Amino acid sequence: MDYFKNLLDLLKIEREEDRTQYRRLTETTSVAERRANGLTWYPIAIRGSEIGRGDYLTVEIERTTHQDIPHQIRFGMPAVLFSNHDPKTDRVEGTISYQGGNRAKITLRTDELPDWSRDGKLGVEVLFDDNSYNEMEQALKTASTLSEKPDKRITNILTGEKSPTFHTEVPRLFLPKLNPSQLAAVEKIVSANELAIVHGPPGTGKTTTLVQAIKTLIKQDNRKILVVAPSNTAVDLLSEKLHEEGLNVLRVGNPARVSERLMALTLDYKVGEHPYMKEAKKLKKQANEFRNMAHKYKRNFGKAERDQRKALFDEAHRIMKDVANSEQYVIDDLIAKAQVITATLVGANHYTVRNLTYHTVVIDEAGQALEPACWIPILKAQKVVLAGDHCQLPPTIKSPEAARKGLSTTLLEKCVTLHPEAVTLLNEQYRMHEHIMGYSSQVFYENKVKAHASVAGHSLFEGDTSLAFVDTAGCGFDEKLDGTSSTNPEEAALLMKHLAQLATDLATRYAKQDFPTIAVISPYKQQINILNEQLLNTPELQEYKDKISVNTIDSFQGQERDIVYISMVRSNTEGDIGFLSDIRRMNVAMTRARKKLVIIGDSATLAGLPFYADFITYSENLNAYQSAWEWL
């Protein structure tokens, strides 16, 4: 089918570009540079090892320095253990089987630690992740063959060839926690035979709605449900909330937020706690002892020692077979009892749950999910629930060509256009003051989203305004180019001055522990570095540093703060605004604030785009327009 052939072609372009970028990052760079790029933990210490599935050795490692550097070491990623003694030959590949804090486990494709692991400093580096691409490609090929079969209606509906159907007789639901639009969404999900879509603008309680819908579905016909999302953080949030509602949740994979509560939901933890595993643990210990004894016989000794070594390894191997059988029994038992399985999109194909099928799959954050990845869970179900907001950030795509040819258009976006009858808009938000929300509602949601009474008028203090646009036009704050990223040091200084004045005012109204939370955000990475520097050099803000987070817009999607400052950066005579023209990114930025939003920018540069020109008019009408001259 052309639909899937086209997606396969785009995925191929994306894989090539991703691989090229990975090569560029690794082949010519030093270990210190790769560490700075988040690909490598170096140096590391080995904290322990044990034999695991298929006689592979799992090594627990800890990064001992540079612990504040963000990194890409994630559960399921292919990785390599290497020694700096001779990084070309002293290396063994494997897979990250756990990551939390500064510890990780890597399962190596070997049954003993190589001799070189005792010389030189060791490191672990992520390899190019072909596995995820292979899984996506396989899913698209399977979907393409299934679309020919009449019983796979869901495939034909998602590709737009057929229309979704709904039961008309649905019992009235009583869910007092939900508002009317949330209740309508749950009813739509329950009545759908193949497809339901929950469109959740910022702050409208999408997670709450999904949790109640999942609970209702399970109550009605106790069938297992698969719940997936593109990011571990989104999966964690849903897993926790479903667990709090009393459902039996099994989290497959490795949570990003390593809290006790979440760990207890994971397959690894539940396997470990299962009564059947007490005996298996003893056996495992015994097998590990035999292995350690075997290692004492070096390969280059005489025949007797070699035989002895082999006998010990054989015995360890035999014991581990028994352990594997017990483990499989326990895993099957846990999966049978689970009501909800949660995982990332690719994680839905984890070896433990790979062959399961479900009646319903729920894909959350579908606006950030790459379509090929969505087909992995979709193939396992008869009915799909997509939840998200296509007016916020799309998925990150490495290849501009693939993005341009349509890979950046998500399945959610396509289905909202194809099947409006399947969509419910959640139209009441519980986060923002109505002035903060108003412009976003007008531009993106046809003015349909309203502020709930509890937040519509909430402010930092009596008489404070909730919105300010500080216009730097005519101040001579010209942007600079720093590498490939734009910066505006004077704008950053003005922002900190404005924030310092606000903080001084708030200090007279709030006790330290109740001080409002603050986010300072900008679309440009280099501007973030400058803002962080300025923050350190602003004495009035030092005692509130733990209340202030400074980061890019993309890293704040899904979060909220009491006060948000946005540094727009672009200021030039050509009116060039670069990727500020991606207004979905601005939608995310503007909707993070609960009680106060301050945007600092140059109206002369920004107003070339109607979106910003209209926003400036919107703020003038609310008396929220200020000139930067007042602050200089």
Side-chain angles (χ1 to χ4, degrees):
M1 189 174 167
D2 289 350
Y3 183 94
F4 293 105
K5 187 185 170 316
N6 178 39
L7 275 175
L8 278 163
D9 292 343
L10 294 177
L11 190 62
K12 190 174 165 200
I13 298 171
E14 174 70 1
R15 186 199 290 237
E16 285 313 309
E17 176 58 31
D18 197 357
R19 189 182 278 123
T20 307
Q21 289 187 17
Y22 175 83
R23 264 199 215 116
R24 213 175 292 139
L25 270 179
T26 52
E27 282 180 358
T28 52
T29 50
S30 68
V31 74
E33 288 173 282
R34 297 199 302 276
R35 177 172 61 199
N37 280 321
L39 298 171
T40 305
W41 280 7
Y42 177 85
I44 56 166
I46 290 184
R47 296 292 182 225
S49 69
E50 57 168 29
I51 201 88
R53 266 183 81 239
D55 277 354
Y56 285 148
L57 183 70
T58 297
V59 181
E60 183 169 2
I61 57 167
E62 182 172 13
R63 76 169 159 172
T64 47
T65 65
H66 299 81
Q67 294 182 334
D68 52 341
I69 300 181
H71 62 86
Q72 298 173 33
I73 290 178
R74 303 272 181 278
F75 171 80
M77 287 288 283
V80 59
L81 177 73
F82 66 90
S83 155
N84 75 332
H85 188 63
D86 186 352
K88 287 273 181 283
T89 57
D90 295 354
R91 47 187 288 136
V92 55
E93 293 189 4
T95 307
I96 302 292
S97 48
Y98 167 80
Q99 189 272 311
N102 287 302
R103 290 208 171 209
K105 289 180 180 175
I106 175 168
T107 299
L108 301 171
R109 296 203 191 102
T110 171
D111 60 359
E112 55 182 325
L113 265 174
D115 294 337
W116 54 254
S117 65
R118 294 167 195 75
D119 356 303
K121 285 185 179 164
L122 300 180
V124 157
E125 181 159 294
V126 291
L127 295 170
F128 181 70
D129 186 9
D130 264 317
N131 174 43
S132 298
Y133 283 104
N134 293 342
E135 294 280 13
M136 289 192 268
E137 197 174 284
Q138 195 44 57
L140 292 175
K141 286 177 176 162
T142 309
S144 182
T145 56
L146 284 178
S147 59
E148 320 295 320
K149 296 188 178 164
D151 61 332
K152 263 299 177 192
R153 275 188 61 81
I154 181 68
T155 310
N156 296 319
I157 288 167
L158 294 173
T159 56
E161 303 202 358
K162 292 203 169 110
S163 296
T165 60
F166 299 87
H167 307 298
T168 41
E169 318 289 301
V170 172
R172 296 291 309 160
L173 297 173
F174 178 66
L175 297 169
K177 288 185 188 171
L178 302 186
N179 68 37
S181 68
Q182 292 171 330
L183 186 63
V186 175
E187 286 175 342
K188 178 78 78 181
I189 289 171
V190 172
S191 69
N193 291 319
E194 306 89 6
L195 174 67
I197 299 171
V198 180
H199 182 189
T204 52
K206 173 171 62 73
T207 306
T208 308
T209 307
L210 284 182
V211 167
Q212 292 303 320
I214 291 163
K215 206 174 155 187
T216 306
L217 288 171
I218 287 174
K219 218 191 234 150
Q220 287 188 354
D221 68 350
N222 209 8
R223 282 190 278 198
K224 231 188 270 322
I225 293 180
L226 174 63
V227 177
V228 287
S231 72
N232 273 305
T233 322
V235 179
D236 290 350
L237 178 66
L238 275 165
S239 304
E240 222 161 11
K241 297 268 192 257
L242 290 162
H243 171 68
E244 282 163 14
E245 286 289 335
L247 294 170
N248 183 341
V249 178
L250 187 59
R251 166 73 160 99
V252 174
N254 200 166
R257 295 206 315 265
V258 189
S259 67
E260 287 298 311
R261 288 210 305 273
L262 264 168
M263 283 322 272
L265 304 178
T266 61
L267 188 59
D268 285 353
Y269 180 90
K270 288 187 176 190
V271 167
E273 293 298 298
H274 199 280
Y276 253 71
M277 288 309 288
K278 282 219 169 47
E279 188 52 34
K281 270 188 193 139
K282 276 189 212 140
L283 286 171
K284 216 175 193 172
K285 204 171 158 201
Q286 199 182 349
N288 275 313
E289 278 161 11
F290 281 139
R291 270 183 51 252
N292 292 337
M293 281 156 67
H295 288 313
K296 296 201 172 70
Y297 294 99
K298 283 279 183 267
R299 290 192 174 92
N300 51 5
F301 289 170
K303 181 179 182 320
E305 285 88 349
R306 271 204 304 277
D307 290 349
Q308 186 59 29
R309 176 186 164 103
K310 185 176 178 321
L312 286 163
F313 269 132
D314 287 349
E315 188 52 24
H317 181 81
R318 194 189 58 71
I319 296 173
M320 285 309 292
K321 257 205 153 98
D322 291 347
V323 172
N325 290 339
S326 308
E327 261 178 13
Q328 196 50 57
Y329 173 82
V330 169
I331 289 171
D332 294 344
D333 184 48
L334 290 168
I335 287 171
K337 294 195 172 95
Q339 293 169 296
V340 184
I341 305 251
T342 61
T344 56
L345 298 166
V346 179
N349 251 358
H350 188 257
Y351 75 93
T352 47
V353 291
R354 190 170 201 118
N355 300 321
L356 290 186
T357 54
Y358 310 83
H359 184 264
T360 305
V361 55
V362 177
I363 303 181
D364 190 20
E365 297 297 355
Q368 278 194 286
L370 211 54
E371 179 173 353
C374 291
W375 285 96
I376 299 170
I378 289 170
L379 293 174
K380 300 174 184 297
Q382 295 162 38
K383 167 169 160 175
V384 177
V385 178
L386 297 174
D389 181 10
H390 49 286
C391 304
Q392 292 184 59
L393 282 174
T396 309
I397 291 174
K398 302 257 168 74
S399 156
E401 184 193 351
R404 204 176 50 247
K405 290 184 171 168
L407 192 61
S408 59
T409 309
T410 57
L411 187 61
L412 175 72
E413 220 171 323
K414 292 178 185 173
C415 287
V416 165
T417 314
L418 288 168
H419 305 303
E421 71 278 23
V423 182
T424 312
L425 174 76
L426 303 179
N427 61 17
E428 198 165 15
Q429 64 83 20
Y430 297 83
R431 174 186 297 162
M432 297 162 266
H433 186 288
E434 58 189 356
H435 292 168
I436 297 175
M437 174 215 75
Y439 190 63
S440 165
S441 178
Q442 177 186 315
V443 175
F444 295 98
Y445 309 107
E446 302 172 358
N447 265 331
K448 287 179 181 161
V449 178
K450 300 286 176 257
H452 184 260
S454 62
V455 299
H458 70 176
S459 56
L460 291 168
F461 53 85
E462 189 67 40
D464 185 41
T465 52
S466 65
L467 182 69
F469 175 71
V470 181
D471 188 359
T472 65
C475 294
F477 289 3
D478 289 343
E479 62 182 82
K480 325 256 180 294
L481 198 63
D482 183 347
T484 53
S485 187
S486 300
T487 62
N488 196 326
E490 288 121 332
E491 182 179 286
L494 174 72
L495 186 152
M496 284 302 159
K497 193 172 179 183
H498 194 288
L499 175 55
Q501 200 163 332
L502 177 64
T504 310
D505 184 12
L506 292 174
T508 61
R509 306 168 188 270
Y510 285 90
K512 177 120 199 283
Q513 67 274 13
D514 305 322
F515 200 80
T517 56
I518 302 165
V520 177
I521 57 188
S522 173
Y524 294 95
K525 273 209 180 75
Q526 294 305 102
Q527 182 76 346
I528 297 302
N529 299 338
I530 291 177
L531 287 162
N532 269 316
E533 239 164 77
Q534 299 266 10
L535 176 59
L536 290 174
N537 296 319
T538 310
E540 304 91 318
L541 295 174
Q542 293 320 297
E543 61 174 311
Y544 304 113
K545 272 223 325 260
D546 55 335
K547 296 280 187 179
I548 304 175
S549 11
V550 183
N551 215 328
T552 57
I553 296 174
D554 300 38
S555 62
F556 274 106
Q557 178 140 330
Q559 301 187 46
E560 51 186 69
R561 297 289 189 277
D562 295 320
I563 304 167
V564 171
Y565 273 76
I566 307 175
S567 167
M568 301 293 284
V569 179
R570 301 307 294 254
S571 172
N572 54 63
T573 45
E574 296 76 48
D576 175 17
I577 60 169
F579 82 145
L580 288 187
S581 57
D582 181 357
I583 61 175
R584 293 191 288 188
R585 184 172 272 106
M586 282 322 292
N587 187 30
V588 171
M590 291 172 167
T591 54
R592 300 305 98 202
R594 292 191 198 105
K595 299 179 177 177
K596 192 175 187 80
L597 171 65
V598 181
I599 296 179
I600 299 185
D602 176 348
S603 65
T605 302
L606 296 172
L609 196 72
F611 175 82
Y612 295 109
D614 294 348
F615 173 72
I616 294 162
T617 310
Y618 173 84
S619 56
E620 284 170 343
N621 292 339
L622 287 171
N623 222 354
Y625 175 89
Q626 304 169 357
S627 165
W629 289 103
E630 299 168 34
W631 301 89
L632 292 176

